[in-house]
Amino acid sequence: MTPAPAPARAPRRRHDREIVALAVPAFGALVAEPLFVMVDSAVVGHLGTPQLAGLGVAAALLMTAVSVFVFLAYATTAAVARRVGAGDLRAAIRQGMDGIWLALVLGLAVVAVTVPAAPWLIGLFGTSETAAPYAITYLRISSFGIPAMLIVLAATGVLRGLQDTRTPLYVAVGGFTANAALNVGLVYGAGLGIAGSAWGTVIAQCGMAVAYLIVVVRGARRHGATLRPDAAGIRASAQAGVPLLVRTLSLRAVLLIATAVAARLGDAEIAAHQVVLSLWSLLAFALDAIAIAGQAIIGRYLGAGDAEGARQVCRRMVQWGIATGVVLGVLVVAARPLFVPLFTSDRTVQDTLLPALLVVAVSQPLAGVVFVLDGVLMGAGDGPYLAWAMIVTLAVFAPVALLVPALGGGLTALWWAMTLMMFVRLLTLWWRARSGKWLVTGAAR
């Protein structure tokens, strides 16, 4: 007589509310980040082709640096969320400050290397003589914003761990708006050219870092947490980040191999590949937003000693990942006639592009599960396993991708290889999630 589903629906609704409350603002903040480069490109593009080419090379180096150090956000989120779950906000913010100090140290080290090495780094890309001076100028100036960029990553991790993804959204929107205004004003109003674009971005990044620090410092004072650097805490943050760094580098290697293979297939193939990769990256932002919610929620549950609650929310987020992947896949198929002409009018490129897009569409539900489980294991602090799993994935993907040109395959075959890569990731992550070995409770793993 009494319906059993009613009690079961209550925790599910609670999980849904938590996921939405964290994932939606996180998605907005993620989308705002690449808009920095888009604004710079739009403003600098009107200065001339050499300037735009120089910006493209320098921006690629800067984006690589940021992606390499994204572990500052991931590791900090998991560590802070555990302490929040344990009810120790003072220790949570103290842990976050260690991550911020580590970000500052790493940022200053990167600046010390980048400024003198800028000509050599630009030369690695085979940049033309006309574009190289602009690339060097932009890279040298923009490198002064790297410490701020890394502080933003670490501080974002602190707030995510504190279950706050709204503040990062507000800061990202404010930073994007300031960057746009500064770029126009300094490039054209002050007549600084590409240097003005670089300085505008640096100023905006520093402003974002200051905004984050104000929020974190207020929290530290409220809960009596010290702001002084702690050598042991900084070392612990670095050690937690090393496995995630290995994971990130392995993933970057996958993307670089895919691009190198596409380049060997021909001009139409590499052009189409860049469009498909750009769309794939955009779709990843939506899925990564759920993963970020997973990092924060799972860490909190495990910190509170609730392993069963963590397992339940993991199961619910997998369902969210599948559903979101299905929706994204359908959108890709339905919108193909609309967005493909926006990227290229070349019929050959379009014909190469369309079948590969179908592969991306079909693989989205798979990608949804992969991103969610990746976030769940990050939230559990299971970095060493994620590192090994990604190394295994790279070892499987690399030979398959490199065989594509040798076997006469085209871009579609390459993207089937990318789908294989995601399937291998699914197998490794699903096996770990099912094993329950990630369910380590307590304020620290």
Side-chain angles (χ1 to χ4, degrees), residues 19-403:
I19 293 168
V20 170
L22 291 171
V24 172
F27 174 70
L30 288 169
V31 171
E33 291 173 10
L35 291 179
F36 270 76
V37 177
M38 290 180 63
V39 167
D40 289 7
S41 299
V43 173
V44 171
H46 292 285
L47 294 174
T49 300
Q51 289 91 332
L52 184 58
L55 170 66
V57 175
L61 284 165
L62 291 166
M63 292 302 292
T64 299
V66 173
S67 66
V68 165
F69 291 112
V70 74
F71 71 84
L72 289 166
Y74 293 159
T76 305
T77 297
V80 171
R82 275 185 174 271
R83 285 158 178 79
V84 169
D88 193 348
L89 289 177
R90 179 178 178 180
I93 295 175
R94 175 64 262 175
Q95 181 73 40
M97 285 304 305
D98 292 335
I100 290 173
W101 281 111
L102 175 62
L104 179 61
V105 171
L106 292 174
L108 293 175
V110 172
V111 173
V113 172
T114 303
V115 172
W120 177 76
L121 291 170
I122 296 301
L124 288 177
F125 281 75
T127 313
S128 68
E129 292 183 2
T130 54
Y134 298 110
I136 293 169
T137 296
Y138 189 91
L139 181 60
R140 277 182 166 159
I141 296 173
S142 293
S143 67
F144 290 106
I146 289 176
M149 293 166 69
L150 300 191
I151 288 173
V152 166
L153 284 176
T156 299
V158 175
L159 295 182
R160 288 173 181 171
L162 293 170
Q163 317 296 296
D164 176 10
T165 56
R166 290 183 178 274
T167 299
L169 172 61
Y170 300 148
V171 174
V173 171
F176 166 72
T177 305
N179 182 56
L182 287 165
N183 264 260
V184 173
L186 294 175
V187 171
Y188 298 111
L192 296 179
I194 195 170
S197 176
W199 281 119
T201 302
V202 169
I203 294 169
Q205 289 163 345
C206 290
M208 291 173 66
V210 169
Y212 273 117
L213 289 174
I214 289 173
V215 174
V216 175
V217 168
R218 283 177 177 171
R221 288 176 175 170
R222 188 181 309 120
H223 298 286
T226 179
L227 300 175
R228 291 192 302 273
D230 176 63
I234 294 172
R235 281 196 303 272
S237 295
Q239 289 169 356
V242 168
L244 295 179
L245 174 61
V246 173
R247 167 204 167 272
T248 301
L249 290 175
S250 300
L251 181 57
R252 294 296 299 182
V254 165
L255 300 179
L256 288 173
I257 290 171
T259 300
V261 170
R264 292 173 60 188
L265 295 175
D267 290 345
E269 284 76 8
I270 184 61
H273 174 73
Q274 287 305 114
V275 175
V276 178
L277 187 60
S278 297
L279 178 64
W280 187 80
S281 300
L282 179 62
L283 297 173
F285 284 131
L287 299 174
D288 203 28
I290 304 175
I292 287 170
Q295 293 172 33
I297 297 171
I298 291 294
R300 194 187 77 231
Y301 270 90
L302 293 178
D306 188 356
E308 182 55 34
R311 192 188 293 275
Q312 289 177 5
V313 78
C314 171
R315 190 178 302 118
R316 187 57 178 163
M317 278 188 287
V318 167
Q319 295 170 354
W320 269 81
I322 294 172
T324 305
V326 170
V327 171
L328 293 176
V330 171
L331 286 176
V332 169
V333 174
R336 278 186 311 156
L338 298 176
F339 67 75
V340 168
L342 295 177
F343 288 98
T344 177
S345 57
D346 188 316
R347 189 65 191 175
T348 303
V349 175
Q350 289 184 2
D351 290 342
T352 306
L353 178 63
L354 291 174
L357 281 178
L358 287 176
V359 176
V360 170
V362 169
S363 67
Q364 285 310 293
L366 172 69
V369 180
V370 169
F371 274 79
V372 165
L373 292 179
D374 201 44
V376 165
L377 296 183
M378 281 186 192
D382 208 9
Y385 180 81
L386 290 173
W388 283 111
M390 199 63 225
I391 290 173
V392 169
T393 302
L394 174 60
V396 173
F397 169 78
V400 174
L402 294 173
L403 279 173

